C-alpha cells in the first residue's frame, strides 16, 4: 500500500467573479449617482453662463427700431412699425466686445416672440414713448406685465437678465431746456405712470377680479410678477420689486436730418446714457 498522501486536486475558480444580487444592486446605485452628478455639473455650468443678447421690447411705435439703427449703424433713419424680429450685432467700448441686439415687434399678436430669445438674453430694454405714455399707460403697463411675469417665471438655474426701462423720445417733452432735464422729466413720468397702472393690475388680481379691461383684449388674467417686498398689500414700486433691480434711462433719437454732428454722433443726441449702461451690464 502506497503510504504517500494523495494530494487533493485544487478547486478551479471561475475566471469571472460571482456577482450576488446585493452586489449588483450596489453597483447599479453607485453608477446612477455618478451619472446624475455628472449631469448636474454640466447643467450648472451651462446655466450659470449668461448669453450675450440684448432684447429690445415694448409697445408699437415706441422707437425700438430707431434705437437699433442708431446704435448699430450710427444712422438716424425714419422707421415704420415692425412686424418681424430684427437682429443685428453691436460692438461695445474700447474692448470691442460684440453683443447681439434682438428687436422684437410690439404688436400684441407677436410680441411674445421675446420668449424665444430669453435663454440667450443678458439684458432686456423695455422701450416706452415718454411723450404718449400718459394717454396709453394702461396698455404699456399690460405689455410690461408680460415681461415681468416672464422674468419671475424663469427657472432658478437660469441667470436673470438685467432689466432697463427706456423713457424714450424725451426730447419731445415740453417745458425742458436741456437734455439732462428732459431725461429726468421723461424718467419720472414713465416711472410714475407705470407704477400706478401696474398697481391697478396687482390690486385687481389680488381681489380675484382679473385684469380684463386694463389692457389688450383677451389677455391672461393669471399672470404673476408684480410682487413687491414682504408686504403683499403694499403698492407696486419698482424699487421694491422682488424680481430684481430695474434701471431707468432717458433716451432720444433724432429721426430728422438736423446737423452733421448729430448724424456722426447719434449717441450725443440722446443714447449716450444707454450706451454707458450697456457697457457696464453686457
Amino acid at each position: 500500500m502506497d503510504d504517500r498522501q494523495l494530494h487533493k486536486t485544487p478547486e478551479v475558480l471561475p475566471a469571472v467573479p460571482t456577482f450576488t444580487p446585493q452586489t449588483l444592486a450596489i453597483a447599479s446605485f453607485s453608477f446612477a449617482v455618478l451619472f446624475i452628478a455628472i449631469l448636474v455639473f454640466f447643467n450648472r455650468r451651462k446655466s450659470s453662463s449668461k448669453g450675450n443678447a440684448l432684447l429690445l421690447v415694448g409697445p408699437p411705435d415706441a422707437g425700438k427700431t430707431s434705437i437699433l439703427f442708431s446704435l448699430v449703424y450710427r444712422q438716424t433713419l425714419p422707421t415704420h412699425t415692425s412686424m418681424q424680429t430684427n437682429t443685428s450685432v453691436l460692438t461695445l467700448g474700447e474692448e470691442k466686445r460684440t453683443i447681439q441686439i434682438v428687436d422684437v415687434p410690439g404688436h400684441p399678436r407677436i410680441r411674445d416672440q421675446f420668449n424665444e430669445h430669453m435663454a440667450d438674453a443678458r439684458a432686456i430694454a423695455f422701450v416706452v414713448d415718454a411723450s404718449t405714455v400718459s394717454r396709453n399707460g394702461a396698455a404699456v403697463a399690460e405689455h410690461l406685465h408680460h415681461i415681468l411675469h416672464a422674468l419671475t417665471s424663469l427657472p432658478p438655474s437660469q441667470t436673470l437678465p438685467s432689466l432697463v426701462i427706456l423713457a424714450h423720445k424725451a426730447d419731445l417733452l415740453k417745458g425742458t431746456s436741456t437734455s439732462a432735464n428732459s431725461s429726468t422729466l421723461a424718467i419720472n413720468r414713465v416711472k410714475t405712470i407705470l407704477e400706478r397702472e401696474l398697481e391697478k393690475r396687482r390690486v385687481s388680481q389680488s381681489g380675484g377680479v382679473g385684469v380684463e379691461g386694463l389692457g389688450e383684449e383677451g389677455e391672461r388674467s393669471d399672470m404673476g410678477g408684480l410682487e413687491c417686498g414682504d408686504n403683499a398689500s403694499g403698492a407696486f414700486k419698482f424699487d421694491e420689486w422682488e424680481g430684481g433691480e430695474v434701471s431707468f434711462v432717458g433716451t432720444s433719437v433724432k429721426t430728422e436730418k438736423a446737423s452733421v454732428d448729430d448724424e456722426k454722433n447719434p449717441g450725443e443726441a440722446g443714447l449716450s446714457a444707454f450706451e454707458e449702461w450697456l457697457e457696464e451690464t453686457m
Side-chain angles (χ1 to χ4, degrees), residues 36-278:
I36 293 174
I38 294 174
L39 285 180
V40 171
F41 174 76
F42 282 103
N43 284 336
R44 284 184 176 179
R45 288 189 61 184
K46 182 178 180 180
S47 299
S48 61
S49 60
K50 287 186 177 181
N52 72 330
L54 165 68
L55 306 188
L56 285 176
V57 298
D61 301 321
K64 300 183 295 295
T65 306
S66 295
I67 293 175
L68 172 68
F69 284 168
S70 296
L71 289 175
V72 176
Y73 304 109
R74 316 308 293 179
Q75 295 181 3
T76 54
L77 302 176
T79 61
H80 55 82
T81 301
S82 301
M83 294 302 292
Q84 63 181 8
T85 300
N86 299 310
T87 303
S88 299
V89 176
L90 172 66
T91 302
L92 287 177
E94 298 179 355
E95 300 178 358
K96 303 299 181 182
R97 290 179 292 112
T98 59
I99 65 172
Q100 185 182 45
I101 300 183
V102 182
D103 172 19
V104 182
H107 192 280
R109 293 184 179 179
I110 55 179
R111 65 188 179 191
D112 285 343
Q113 290 180 358
F114 78 90
N115 285 301
E116 301 174 5
H117 306 277
M118 286 293 285
D120 299 322
R122 191 182 185 93
I124 298 176
F126 186 83
V127 185
V128 181
D129 185 345
S131 65
T132 62
V133 69
S134 58
R135 299 194 300 269
N136 61 357
V140 175
E142 183 266 331
H143 192 165
L144 178 58
H145 191 180
H146 282 262
I147 305 298
L148 301 181
H149 173 72
L151 287 173
T152 55
S153 300
L154 290 174
S157 59
Q158 182 173 345
T159 303
L160 285 177
S162 301
L163 176 62
V164 60
I165 296 179
L166 301 184
H168 195 47
K169 303 183 183 181
D171 57 323
L172 299 182
L173 299 183
K174 298 180 179 179
T176 57
S177 57
T178 65
S179 59
N181 290 337
S182 63
S183 294
T184 301
L185 177 60
I187 290 173
N188 291 338
R189 175 181 294 186
V190 168
K191 187 175 184 180
T192 300
I193 293 175
L194 289 182
E195 285 183 338
R196 181 185 66 205
E197 295 298 332
L198 289 173
E199 171 61 9
K200 291 180 182 179
R201 300 177 67 82
R202 190 194 66 80
V203 171
S204 179
Q205 283 187 328
S206 62
V209 180
V211 291
E212 290 79 3
L214 295 179
E216 299 292 338
E217 295 183 1
E219 66 166 300
R220 294 173 52 187
S221 60
D222 59 343
M223 293 189 300
L226 299 181
E227 295 76 14
C228 290
D230 298 330
N231 186 3
S233 62
F236 179 87
K237 296 293 181 182
F238 285 108
D239 295 338
E240 301 175 4
W241 182 54
E242 291 187 354
E245 181 180 358
V246 181
S247 302
F248 283 82
V249 176
T251 57
S252 61
V253 169
K254 293 184 180 298
T255 56
E256 297 180 357
K257 189 174 181 180
S259 67
V260 176
D261 291 337
D262 287 338
E263 290 181 357
K264 291 183 178 180
N265 302 293
E268 297 298 328
L271 292 181
S272 56
F274 181 42
E275 289 181 303
E276 292 176 1
W277 184 88
L278 287 175

